[in-house]
Amino acid sequence: MRALRLYGPALPRSRVLLLHGLRAGQRGKAFARYNPSVTRPSVPAYKRVLLKLSGEALMGSQTYGIDPAVASQIAKDVAEIQGMGIETAIVIGGGNIFRGVAASAKGMDRATADYMGMLATVINALALQDALEQAGVVTRVVTAIEMRAVAEPFIRRRAIRHLEKGRVVVFGAGTGNPYF
């Protein structure tokens, strides 16, 4: 994970780093812009990062679904960030499973299609949680749509508290609102 520019004396510690999810093979190109040099000071430049992963990032070389090897590699990278003492939150997409906009364009009710897309993000969040926990990283999945059997409901203060306790927080179900 050296390629992430999490260190640097001129960068404020309170800033949130946002990376966009990429398919396998594109990763190195995008990460290079965040760290032109490989030297690191001893203090992280960021206290907390937000990693945005597209659902397609979990597909690897497949055309659909989740590649466990890719999920494991992402988990190892996140574990390395956690090991530096950086609070880590992840927003995950669902395009590898379902695209609500595409379904609504083919005649499905837009709100129903959007809700199905939100559920796809929860599936990805659970897959990523499993990979992270297998890598030894304590993880919580929080969702905008209440489904207590598999994830916690999103409560801002609770999510921040999880981060402060050193847990990775994975956000699923977007905002919980269709058309957004």
Side-chain angles (χ1 to χ4, degrees):
M1 208 59 187
R2 286 190 321 258
L4 285 176
R5 189 158 201 257
L6 299 176
Y7 293 91
L11 301 172
R13 293 179 60 92
S14 62
R15 201 170 192 200
V16 175
L17 177 64
L18 176 64
L19 299 176
H20 293 281
L22 300 168
R23 294 186 79 157
Q26 294 177 315
R27 250 171 87 171
K29 296 174 195 167
F31 284 175
R33 68 180 164 205
Y34 289 100
N35 185 13
S37 74
V38 292
T39 60
R40 293 186 190 175
S42 59
V43 178
Y46 297 101
K47 174 186 172 194
R48 181 178 296 154
V49 296
L50 173 65
L51 177 62
K52 167 52 173 106
L53 295 173
S54 69
E56 284 112 355
L58 291 175
M59 288 192 315
S61 60
Q62 301 176 160
T63 59
Y64 175 83
I66 300 164
D67 183 347
V70 172
S72 293
Q73 184 58 51
I74 291 170
K76 288 175 188 172
D77 291 344
V78 171
E80 190 174 336
I81 293 171
Q82 284 292 102
M84 292 186 258
I86 298 170
E87 299 171 5
T88 309
I90 301 171
V91 174
I92 187 84
N96 59 320
I97 298 171
F98 188 82
R99 289 203 166 274
V101 174
S104 69
K106 294 180 181 178
M108 182 178 276
D109 175 67
R110 173 69 191 266
T112 301
D114 284 353
Y115 281 122
M116 291 172 68
M118 289 178 225
L119 293 174
T121 69
V122 175
I123 292 169
N124 284 340
L126 294 172
L128 191 55
Q129 178 186 36
D130 181 67
L132 285 162
E133 290 184 346
Q134 286 183 21
V137 178
V138 180
T139 307
R140 296 293 185 268
V141 173
V142 297
T143 63
I145 299 173
E146 197 167 316
M147 50 185 79
R148 291 184 188 267
V150 295
E152 296 179 18
F154 173 74
I155 299 169
R156 182 182 163 274
R157 289 184 181 186
R158 183 181 287 177
I160 290 170
R161 187 69 181 132
H162 285 316
L163 291 170
E164 291 170 348
K165 287 185 173 184
R167 301 173 184 138
V168 170
V169 177
V170 182
F171 296 100
T175 64
N177 301 301
Y179 302 100
F180 186 71

